[in-house]
Amino acid sequence: MEIQSPQFKEKARNALANEQLQRAMGKAKTGFISKRKKSVEALPEFEDLRSSARAIKDHTLAHLDLYLEAYEEKVKASGGHVHWAETAEDARQAVLAICRAAGARTVTKGKSMITEEIALNDFLEKEGIRPVETDLGEYIIQLRGEHPSHIIGPALHLNKEQVEEDFRRVHTQLPEERDLSQPESLLGEAREILRPQYFTADVGITGANMLIAETGSSIIVTNEGNGDLTQTLPRIHVVVASIEKIVPTLEDASQILRVLARSATGQDMSVYTTLSTGPRRPGDPDGPEEYHVILLDNGRSSMLGTEFHEMLRCIRCGACMNHCPVYHAVGGHAYGWVYPGPMGAVLTPSLVGVDKSGHLPNASTFCGRCESVCPMQIPLPRMMRHWREREFERGLNPATQRYGLGFWAFFARRPRLYRLATSLAIPTLSGLAGRRGWFRSLPLAGGWTRYRDLPAPQSRTFMQQWQARSGAPHGREGGDR
Amino acid sequence: MNEDTIKKPRIGLFVTCLVDLFRPSVGFASVRLLEEAGCTVEVPMAQTCCGQPAYNSGDREDAAAIARQTIEAFEEFDYVVAPSGSCAGMLKKHYPSLLKGTSYEKRAEAFSAKVHELVSFLVDVLGATSVAAAGKGGSVTYHDSCSGLRELGIREQPRKLLNSIEGVEIREMENADVCCGFGGTFCVKYPDISNKIVEEKTACIEATGAQTLLAGDLGCLMNMAGKLHRQGSPIKVRHVAEVLAGMEDDTPAIGGGGR
């Protein structure tokens, strides 16, 4: 997917003006938040679980090479194949080689953000292979030629009327008078259309919520069961997963599962939690004949040991965006790449460069709600600030901002001069407002006054009044150095 | 030194730049509350701003210089108190990490231990359960500013003191803990998004039917007051310290004109 994050402001404005989107976002946010809250409150040990989940990932990341190699051994031992992919292109080529060797024409796909990251669908289509998304949300946006707007609810930006419209447009073989007014009827129709696809597909591609080093298994969690059909019915199952998905043991995986669904959808567990370990064994009633895992790096190993290291703990639950006021306001597409919200604001610059995605870590109020709900206790605001530092160091932020900041800092670092300047400016500004008390507009303050009035300063500065009141300055005189 | 000054905690008031420039009454309210609670209050002149505009814009060098300057100005006091969760959070939580690995590391840690937000200082450190002030009373709604709430755990303290004033009725708003959209420079860098967020906030405020909106951070208050005024709302907006200090009679609400 081509990065459109440089157009964040424009996209955000359009999103704010899009009534339909605003309606969909309004509904989405209240549901996620209340469900998570209820499920977390029902579990007194939830905070301890967060800490232990975090510890598991911290330990794994500290020994990532070791666990990845152990995992590879186990996959091989169970008859599967492991393909190491340093870049998105490596991963795409690995998938293509598998498809070509199988003579594949159609692949079914379980919901996977990593295949969004490597833009697999567009690539396969160009190569003459038809990808079929089987997750309802993914299926809908595939019909619309869109990308997910949320990492666990890809079609969160849509209302059901729009989905009905799309289904009627595409499923022309079905009777026109059918009722598609309810979510259930939409789901039923998607199921009817998708079910035969599992049997015609030559390859099923899924992501992985976790990879287990101890057993060589991959885990997916879903609520629709489409992932299971994708990975058991076609002749070949391909797992595409990034390297930080690894956890040491089955026990560790089950610990993390306890915080995953609760943080994501407020469920204790997702409806389906499916482990895959290698291809079908003799005597197995079903399962693929071939089992492949493509392990993608795509920039992640270069985050290790940096100030963005902790981002690799992310388990993609979406809680950060579900609780983000900026995400609520503009939706996921405004962010302009695969990963939206706070986790996207940290991860995107790591994967595509801060020069192309500088808006994302800047478009945050640092309210800290994301960090407070993150099941992996990732300090998202802190890392967004680190990206701002990288931008500042490289001179990437706008010149007006830099000059403004430099001007302000010059005074802020010289208390005596600052007091002198403010003791002249503030009474002037206060006088300018007169008895009104408000400014409706003010030169250089357009960013503020476009949408709100600016209260005028009361009169003189506090420092002026305090000095006048006390006669002599209290405390140490602030000398400029 | 007489006995009195030995016993009284000596407070260095970190006024905050917005209070200094826009609303000195919050500073005087802070002084009154601290003095009534038995403290000696001093205001070091070598203070300007906590440095967040630089720090949150990625300018660590200027932020660190301001941090060192603030530490030097305040480290002689028993406590450093600020009428803002955001600025107190910067002083307490971020100065140590900003100066880590420098010659100021130890000083920043010692300084951090003395820093408190005003209302939580009164309640948590001084053990206040009520305030002397008898204000006008009336219905108020309280917005929990993000840094105070999530960095410093300020939630019950202002409500406790407000409830101790006769005639004050707190009407809780929905989503009191959700950001108002201010976010420091965010509100001018992304005004469209900030506006959307503050619109949601003012809708929650209006829905309470309260006469007055209170919070503990002037930045958030100016943002919400500015939006309410633009929308033609009659709701008065004040810093919580002004109500706790009983200064409503002689101090107009935000935007109510100078004195």
Side-chain angles (χ1 to χ4, degrees):
Chain A
M1 177 180 171
E2 195 190 331
I3 180 144
Q4 294 168 0
S5 305
Q7 290 96 51
F8 174 79
K9 278 192 159 185
E10 195 186 319
K11 284 169 155 291
R13 261 198 301 278
N14 293 339
L16 288 164
N18 184 338
E19 282 173 27
Q20 177 282 123
L21 172 70
Q22 291 299 328
R23 201 153 44 87
M25 295 307 296
K27 271 188 254 170
K29 68 177 176 194
T30 48
F32 276 131
I33 292 171
S34 60
K35 284 178 193 156
R36 176 194 174 274
K37 189 162 184 274
K38 209 172 148 198
S39 118
V40 165
E41 282 171 356
L43 201 68
E45 67 270 36
F46 189 77
E47 284 309 305
D48 292 338
L49 283 176
R50 281 175 81 195
S51 301
S52 86
R54 171 198 178 142
I56 289 168
K57 277 281 191 176
D58 279 342
H59 168 83
T60 313
L61 291 172
H63 308 282
L64 190 59
D65 51 347
L66 190 108
Y67 286 116
L68 283 169
E69 282 171 12
Y71 169 78
E72 182 184 27
E73 285 307 308
K74 287 290 178 184
V75 174
K76 283 181 179 166
S78 63
H81 306 273
V82 174
H83 310 257
W84 298 86
E86 197 181 333
T87 64
E89 178 60 16
D90 293 345
R92 288 189 292 262
Q93 291 299 338
V95 174
L96 182 63
I98 296 164
C99 291
R100 287 275 189 258
R105 307 276 297 275
T106 303
V107 304
T108 45
K109 287 185 66 207
K111 195 187 132 22
S112 143
M113 287 311 294
I114 211 75
T115 59
E116 296 287 341
E117 182 181 321
I118 65 171
L120 186 62
N121 286 6
D122 289 349
F123 171 78
L124 289 177
E125 275 172 27
K126 275 189 199 122
E127 296 293 340
I129 297 165
R130 187 171 65 102
V132 179
E133 293 289 353
T134 62
D135 171 88
L136 178 60
E138 288 282 350
Y139 176 67
I140 293 164
I141 60 167
Q142 190 183 22
L143 293 185
R144 299 173 63 87
E146 291 181 342
H147 295 283
S149 66
H150 187 287
I151 61 171
I152 66 162
L156 193 77
H157 57 291
L158 300 172
N159 295 299
K160 67 177 194 299
E161 295 76 22
Q162 291 168 287
V163 179
E164 172 174 0
E165 214 172 282
D166 290 320
F167 278 15
R168 291 196 187 281
R169 174 172 59 80
V170 180
H171 304 157
T172 47
Q173 70 275 35
L174 297 173
E176 253 178 66
E177 64 282 3
R178 69 197 192 278
D179 175 33
L180 286 178
S181 60
Q182 299 305 317
E184 293 75 24
S185 51
L186 293 167
L187 182 63
E189 177 158 323
R191 183 173 286 151
E192 189 182 328
I193 298 281
L194 287 170
R195 195 51 64 104
Q197 303 286 350
Y198 297 112
F199 297 98
T200 49
D202 309 288
V203 175
I205 300 175
T206 66
N209 290 89
M210 279 178 275
L211 305 171
I212 304 168
E214 179 186 33
T215 59
S217 311
S218 55
I219 299 188
I220 55 167
V221 299
T222 71
N223 281 322
E224 297 168 22
N226 63 303
D228 295 39
L229 297 176
T230 300
Q231 64 186 30
T232 47
L233 293 180
R235 202 160 57 75
I236 299 168
H237 176 200
V238 179
V239 177
V240 187
S242 49
I243 52 173
E244 83 283 12
K245 293 285 173 191
I246 199 98
V247 294
T249 67
L250 206 49
E251 175 72 28
D252 294 328
S254 52
Q255 285 247 16
I256 290 173
L257 286 172
R258 295 191 72 194
V259 294
L260 176 58
R262 287 185 170 89
S263 301
T265 52
Q267 294 166 288
D268 294 345
M269 288 284 278
S270 50
V271 178
Y272 299 89
T273 299
T274 313
L275 284 84
S276 306
T277 313
R280 180 196 304 204
R281 293 157 301 187
D284 279 354
D286 56 18
E289 290 166 24
E290 287 179 34
Y291 178 82
H292 296 266
V293 181
I294 294 166
L295 279 175
L296 177 70
D297 181 351
N298 208 23
R300 287 165 176 79
S301 58
S302 65
M303 293 164 70
L304 287 166
T306 70
E307 58 262 67
F308 307 107
H309 178 100
E310 290 179 83
M311 190 61 217
L312 296 171
R313 286 204 299 264
C314 178
I315 53 172
R316 307 291 191 268
C317 68
C320 59
M321 56 197 78
N322 292 343
H323 290 77
C324 175
V326 175
Y327 179 88
H328 291 160
V330 301
H333 286 157
Y335 290 79
W337 201 57
V338 179
Y339 302 104
M343 58 78 63
V346 174
L347 190 60
T348 306
S350 302
L351 301 185
V352 307
V354 73
D355 52 330
K356 297 191 206 70
S357 53
H359 273 305
L360 309 191
N362 276 284
S364 162
T365 65
F366 282 164
C367 78
R369 212 172 172 210
C370 50
E371 182 176 355
S372 75
V373 296
C374 174
M376 287 289 157
Q377 300 175 342
I378 299 172
L380 292 154
R382 193 182 83 201
M383 288 189 285
M384 285 184 234
R385 189 183 295 108
H386 284 318
W387 278 122
R388 298 184 191 186
E389 286 161 6
R390 295 275 179 101
E391 263 199 309
F392 187 85
E393 284 159 17
R394 291 171 58 184
L396 293 171
N397 42 353
T400 46
Q401 252 176 50
R402 297 180 73 82
Y403 290 134
L405 189 66
F407 180 79
W408 168 86
F410 179 84
F411 285 97
R413 290 177 66 167
R414 292 168 178 80
R416 199 190 295 267
L417 194 61
Y418 180 90
R419 274 204 311 285
L420 178 66
T422 54
S423 68
L424 294 170
I426 289 301
T428 309
L429 198 60
S430 180
L432 207 62
R435 302 171 65 90
R436 290 193 311 276
W438 293 98
F439 293 102
R440 267 194 84 81
S441 68
L442 200 66
L444 302 175
W448 181 281
T449 56
R450 192 183 311 163
Y451 294 111
R452 64 215 126 188
D453 296 330
L454 179 70
Q458 274 174 330
S459 57
R460 295 181 298 157
T461 67
F462 178 86
M463 290 303 196
Q464 279 176 299
Q465 296 184 45
W466 182 259
Q467 273 186 299
R469 196 180 91 155
S470 344
H474 274 60
R476 263 182 24 209
E477 174 59 26
D480 290 349
R481 278 153 299 175
Chain B
M1 237 184 227
N2 62 31
E3 206 185 315
D4 197 37
T5 52
I6 294 169
K7 270 192 294 190
K8 279 187 173 183
R10 200 169 150 241
I11 312 288
L13 182 69
F14 186 80
V15 180
T16 81
C17 62
L18 288 178
V19 167
D20 177 33
L21 306 182
F22 281 88
R23 203 158 171 82
S25 56
V26 177
F28 289 110
S30 307
V31 173
R32 185 182 291 181
L33 284 165
L34 289 165
E35 286 180 348
E36 279 176 2
C39 303
T40 306
V41 182
E42 296 174 37
V43 181
M45 286 290 125
Q47 57 177 305
T48 58
C49 162
C50 67
Q52 277 191 86
Y55 185 55
N56 290 340
S57 300
D59 175 6
R60 278 182 85 94
E61 193 195 321
D62 280 321
I66 293 165
R68 289 192 298 270
Q69 162 186 300
T70 308
I71 291 170
E72 283 170 17
F74 281 89
E75 59 191 350
E76 62 179 294
F77 294 99
D78 298 330
Y79 297 102
V80 181
V81 175
S84 156
S86 175
C87 309
M90 176 70 186
L91 269 53
K92 192 174 185 68
K93 301 284 177 181
H94 297 282
Y95 278 11
S97 65
L98 190 56
L99 297 173
K100 200 170 179 182
T102 73
S103 59
Y104 274 68
E105 181 173 344
K106 287 253 152 36
R107 291 170 77 178
E109 281 164 16
F111 169 81
S112 160
K114 300 183 193 178
V115 174
H116 296 274
E117 179 276 339
L118 172 71
V119 182
S120 57
F121 177 73
L122 295 172
V123 173
D124 299 340
V125 179
L126 300 181
T129 52
S130 62
V131 284
K136 281 193 291 203
S139 57
V140 303
T141 189
Y142 189 87
H143 164 73
D144 296 292
S145 290
C146 298
S147 302
L149 177 70
R150 281 180 273 270
E151 287 187 343
L152 304 175
I154 301 165
R155 207 196 110 76
E156 299 309 324
Q157 300 92 327
R159 289 172 173 82
K160 190 177 195 174
L161 295 187
L162 284 169
N163 274 324
S164 77
I165 305 174
E166 203 171 305
V168 167
E169 178 210 351
I170 302 180
R171 296 192 189 169
E172 293 292 349
M173 70 176 93
E174 209 187 327
N175 298 329
D177 63 341
V178 174
C179 181
C180 73
F182 172 63
T185 54
F186 171 85
C187 71
V188 290
K189 280 198 292 190
Y190 298 94
D192 306 300
I193 302 173
S194 174
N195 178 52
K196 169 73 180 168
I197 301 173
V198 73
E199 272 179 358
E200 304 238 326
K201 179 56 71 175
T202 56
C204 293
I205 296 165
E206 293 273 6
T208 64
Q211 296 161 319
T212 308
L213 165 68
L214 302 176
D217 275 85
L218 191 53
C220 315
L221 286 163
M222 286 170 67
N223 178 44
M224 294 183 288
K227 189 70 207 177
L228 285 166
H229 191 255
R230 180 66 60 93
Q231 290 170 331
S233 167
I235 295 172
K236 301 268 180 264
V237 183
R238 286 183 184 280
H239 193 287
V240 65
E242 295 173 0
V243 173
L244 296 178
M247 283 173 41
E248 285 154 283
D249 286 335
D250 48 4
T251 310
I254 291 175
R259 289 184 292 165

